[in-house]
Amino acid sequence: MNWCFNRRKKWSFSFYVCIGLVLLLTGCVQEVANQVANSVTNSVTNSVSSASSDVISNRMVDWITNSASASVKVAKGSSFHPQRIKKIAVIMKPDRRYRNVPYRRVEDIFMFDLLNKGYQVASRSDVKQVMEELHFQGSLLTEEKIAEIGRILNVSAMLIVSVTDLGYERQQSGSNYVSAALGTRLIGVEKAEFLWGGRCSGTGSQIGSTLEDLAEKISKAFPSK
């Protein structure tokens, strides 16, 4: 009887020892699994972050909402460095589809704000003279032609401003409804490359005031020197 009891006691002890070992091993395996999962997650996260950083530094970034004004979207190229830009020429690109556009007033807003931000700005008369001499029309400007004008003007970059959308509607109440969009491109003269861009859309009651408001928002988003 004692022999059977002792044997049963030893078997029970062995059983519990085995159970303990299984639980211990299970915990270790789970811990290892968690460590592997965390390692893989961190590796993937770092890879994605690294890839995103490379994309942003090597090409023009996607248009993103500017924090200073929720309605303005900006983009910049990896070669854009405000400190390297000494002088800028502004060209308001005309569009025959849209009438009653205050091109000169919109252009003045950008020129004035650029001066306040520390840039030198080419005079409007100089820009007009060069374009007339080269027989360039604003509606047909390409990056290469823009860069050519810039080299003659001896500027670092050319800021091209264009009305990308404009709608006018007379409502039944008698009031006017205007929807408009304005876009800008800063082209580097040396390599004829995109440096910076801004675009903004909005609504108003008058074409002139609506476009001027959009110009103010984009020009305010342009980096200071």
Side-chain angles (χ1 to χ4, degrees):
M1 181 68 69
N2 291 334
W3 177 81
C4 292
F5 176 78
N6 291 334
R7 185 174 182 181
R8 182 179 299 176
K9 187 175 181 180
K10 291 180 179 179
W11 180 86
S12 299
F13 177 76
S14 299
F15 173 78
Y16 287 117
V17 169
C18 291
I19 293 297
L21 289 174
V22 170
L23 292 174
L24 179 61
L25 290 174
T26 302
C28 292
V29 170
Q30 184 63 40
E31 183 178 355
V32 171
N34 290 336
Q35 291 179 356
V36 171
N38 291 334
S39 178
V40 171
T41 301
N42 292 334
S43 178
V44 172
T45 302
N46 292 335
S47 298
V48 171
S49 300
S50 177
S52 299
S53 177
D54 291 340
V55 169
I56 291 176
S57 62
N58 293 326
R59 67 172 178 82
M60 184 184 75
V61 298
D62 293 333
W63 293 90
I64 58 176
T65 301
N66 185 275
S67 58
S69 177
S71 59
V72 179
K73 293 183 178 181
V74 301
K76 66 177 181 178
S78 58
S79 301
F80 178 60
H81 300 286
Q83 296 78 10
R84 299 179 184 176
I85 299 177
K86 296 181 179 180
K87 193 173 184 179
I88 298 176
V90 180
I91 295 181
M92 186 71 194
K93 185 178 179 181
D95 194 320
R96 295 179 180 178
R97 296 175 298 171
Y98 308 129
R99 299 179 180 179
N100 301 322
V101 174
Y103 291 111
R104 188 183 183 91
R105 298 208 307 265
V106 172
E107 191 176 85
D108 284 343
I109 290 174
F110 284 100
M111 295 177 69
F112 181 78
D113 279 351
L114 286 172
L115 287 171
N116 283 339
K117 291 177 181 290
Y119 299 93
Q120 297 181 40
V121 180
S123 67
R124 182 183 288 107
S125 59
D126 288 344
V127 174
K128 182 178 180 181
Q129 181 180 351
V130 171
M131 292 188 67
E132 289 177 350
E133 290 177 355
L134 297 177
H135 305 288
F136 282 163
Q137 296 182 2
S139 59
L140 300 176
L141 287 176
T142 63
E143 277 75 8
E144 289 74 19
K145 290 181 179 180
I146 293 171
E148 183 178 350
I149 296 173
R151 284 190 285 270
I152 296 175
L153 290 169
N154 193 29
V155 298
S156 305
M158 302 280 292
L159 184 66
I160 312 302
V161 185
S162 57
V163 178
T164 58
D165 184 52
L166 183 61
Y168 178 87
E169 181 181 351
R170 184 76 172 179
Q171 297 180 326
Q172 294 181 352
S173 60
S175 60
N176 301 324
Y177 178 81
V178 176
S179 62
L182 198 67
T184 61
R185 291 179 299 152
L186 185 69
I187 306 299
V189 169
E190 183 178 357
K191 298 180 180 179
E193 62 180 335
F194 176 94
L195 297 178
W196 187 91
R199 65 186 184 188
C200 186
S201 60
T203 59
S205 59
Q206 300 295 329
I207 293 177
S209 59
T210 302
L211 289 174
E212 288 173 26
D213 180 62
L214 299 181
E216 288 281 0
K217 291 180 179 180
I218 296 176
S219 64
K220 290 291 186 287
F222 193 88
S224 298
K225 192 168 181 180

